[in-house]
Amino acid sequence: MTLLEHNQVAESASNSVIERGVQQLEVHVRVLKLGLQGRIGSHIPTTHPIIAWLVPHAADVLNKLEFGADGKTAYERLRVKRYKGETVEFGAKIQYRIPAALLPGHGQVGPRWADGLWLGKRFESDGHFVGPTHGSVECRAISQIPATERWDRTAVEQLIGVPWAWSGKAREIAHEAVFRDRPADAVPDPTHKCHPPSPDKSRSLTKCLIN
């Protein structure tokens, strides 16, 4: 049973648990984005399609790998077991096994593996989201490649698929994004403090009560 409770107007303290969760996600998204920028040596605009994959991946990582005060992850509380699936650094170039349904004529003859960018995993099936240049796909098997070939700025730039439009044909949701070289001395200021935005007056606090 789910009960909806409205928080008091302009009282963010009443949403402390949710606010902490939002802040955790913001920090992890920032870390992943800066990490990928450092790997490819380029600034990534927030309008680029890969950001649409990065945000849910950050939440997925927190659910599966972030331990709470009880020593358990959110995944472990839900599934009663720890997550042991395969993961890869976000945005890394990998090889993936092409699903049979996507092969020409659904045949078994021809290449079964192709190159793509690792974009995360589906929570329900644990399948891999992969972004080749012609769109995005979900597959069951991947293979990592040598570290010297793992980061490809061009492949990231050419990614067009997003979680709600894998083919990338809906161009209105993937605006033209221009990459620029990331300065070598572009190091985040460790003294900078990020303040969460003031909560929306209509935000509701959702509590799930499990009987």
Side-chain angles (χ1 to χ4, degrees), residues 15-26:
N15 275 344
S16 58
V17 175
I18 294 178
E19 292 293 342
R20 285 198 299 271
V22 171
Q23 290 176 12
Q24 278 185 306
L25 181 60
E26 288 178 346

Side-chain angles (χ1 to χ4, degrees), residues 71-112:
K72 297 180 180 180
T73 64
Y75 180 92
E76 186 176 358
R77 297 187 200 103
L78 180 64
R79 301 289 180 87
V80 199
K81 61 180 179 180
R82 290 192 176 182
Y83 182 72
K84 297 182 179 179
E86 181 182 14
T87 60
V88 181
E89 188 171 351
F90 182 82
K93 189 175 180 180
I94 50 93
Q95 287 193 323
Y96 69 98
R97 186 176 178 85
I98 305 173
L102 299 181
L103 291 173
H106 293 198
Q108 300 297 321
V109 180
R112 292 302 307 272

Side-chain angles (χ1 to χ4, degrees), residues 19-46:
E19 292 293 342
R20 285 198 299 271
V22 171
Q23 290 176 12
Q24 278 185 306
L25 181 60
E26 288 178 346
V27 169
H28 203 57
V29 167
R30 189 179 304 111
V31 168
L32 290 174
K33 183 174 181 290
L34 290 175
L36 181 57
Q37 289 179 166
R39 292 293 196 182
I40 65 175
S42 176
H43 170 77
I44 302 176
T46 55

Side-chain angles (χ1 to χ4, degrees), residues 29 71 152 172 179-180 190:
V29 167
D152 189 339
E172 66 274 9
F179 277 44
R180 66 173 185 270

Side-chain angles (χ1 to χ4, degrees), residues 121-178:
K121 307 193 77 173
R122 183 184 290 277
F123 187 86
E124 298 82 1
S125 65
D126 207 40
H128 298 270
F129 290 127
V130 181
T133 56
H134 59 269
S136 301
V137 299
E138 180 180 350
C139 66
R140 295 181 58 185
I142 65 170
S143 176
Q144 296 197 53
I145 62 177
T148 54
E149 305 173 15
R150 197 169 294 170
W151 303 103
D152 189 339
R153 169 178 171 170
T154 301
V156 175
E157 289 179 335
Q158 294 178 348
L159 180 70
I160 60 175
V162 290
W164 57 92
W166 287 14
S167 66
K169 293 181 180 179
R171 294 304 300 170
E172 66 274 9
I173 49 83
H175 303 289
E176 193 67 24
V178 180

